[in-house]
Amino acid sequence: MDRPDWDEYFMKMAELAATRASCLRREVGAVLVKNKKILATGYNGAPKDITHCEVTGCLREEMGVASGQRHEICRGVHAEQNLVAQAAFHGVKTEGAAVYCTHQPCIICTKILINAGVDKIYYKNAYSDEFAEKLLEESKIKLIKY
């Protein structure tokens, strides 16, 4: 029997969430977990009831904006942001939870996850952001490469 351990299981769930992404640049998924229970999921894409980039096109791509720059002109909401928003919408407490992400969180998502009170962040694909890593270290949140 080839049964996945918990970390593998939750990372696969994050990868499954990423399949719902509507971003043209990168598909990202995230899962919020506490006591081996999934509390919320998120993926990157436009806010609810807003037309997705797959229909409108990617403004950042059209403008030649590099990855990690000018987040404010993107229609999309990051997976981690959607994860915390979904938890808030449903009244789910995020404090002490772990997050499994397909990609290392950017600085904006890092700050949101710090304020959400998560204890650990597992990620699969590197998205090196030295400032984000420094803030996580200072906040004592464990950043774990899966």
Side-chain angles (χ1 to χ4, degrees):
M1 191 156 117
D2 193 22
R3 188 171 179 217
D5 65 25
W6 287 109
D7 290 335
E8 182 181 2
Y9 174 75
F10 293 128
M11 190 58 74
K12 285 182 184 247
M13 296 299 283
E15 290 171 342
L16 181 61
T19 66
R20 290 282 307 149
S22 62
C23 178
L24 301 174
R25 287 182 149 194
R26 182 175 294 143
E27 294 179 344
V28 180
V31 178
L32 183 72
V33 176
K34 190 170 184 181
N35 299 323
K36 298 180 183 171
K37 304 283 185 272
I38 295 174
L39 305 178
T41 63
Y43 54 86
N44 57 330
K48 72 177 189 168
D49 301 327
I50 301 297
T51 307
H52 290 278
C53 300
E54 56 196 359
V55 175
T56 64
C58 177
L59 180 59
R60 292 176 67 221
E61 193 71 31
E62 291 168 16
M63 294 175 65
V65 176
S67 178
Q69 305 295 315
R70 303 286 319 268
H71 293 285
E72 75 279 5
I73 62 170
C74 179
R75 295 178 78 80
V77 178
H78 288 188
E80 301 90 338
Q81 295 167 6
N82 273 324
L83 176 85
V84 173
Q86 185 186 71
F89 185 83
H90 292 288
V92 174
K93 189 172 181 176
T94 56
E95 184 180 22
V99 175
Y100 290 78
C101 302
T102 58
H103 294 73
Q104 184 176 345
C106 72
I107 185 60
I108 295 168
C109 291
T110 294
K111 291 187 280 188
I112 289 170
L113 293 174
I114 289 169
N115 279 353
V118 302
D119 288 343
K120 296 178 187 171
I121 301 170
Y122 296 85
Y123 69 95
K124 189 168 185 180
N125 300 298
Y127 180 81
S128 186
D129 186 324
E130 290 180 24
F131 187 41
E133 291 170 14
K134 182 178 178 178
L135 290 184
L136 287 171
E137 185 178 320
E138 186 177 338
S139 71
K140 307 283 191 272
I141 294 174
K142 294 179 183 170
L143 181 64
I144 303 159
K145 172 89 165 102
Y146 175 79

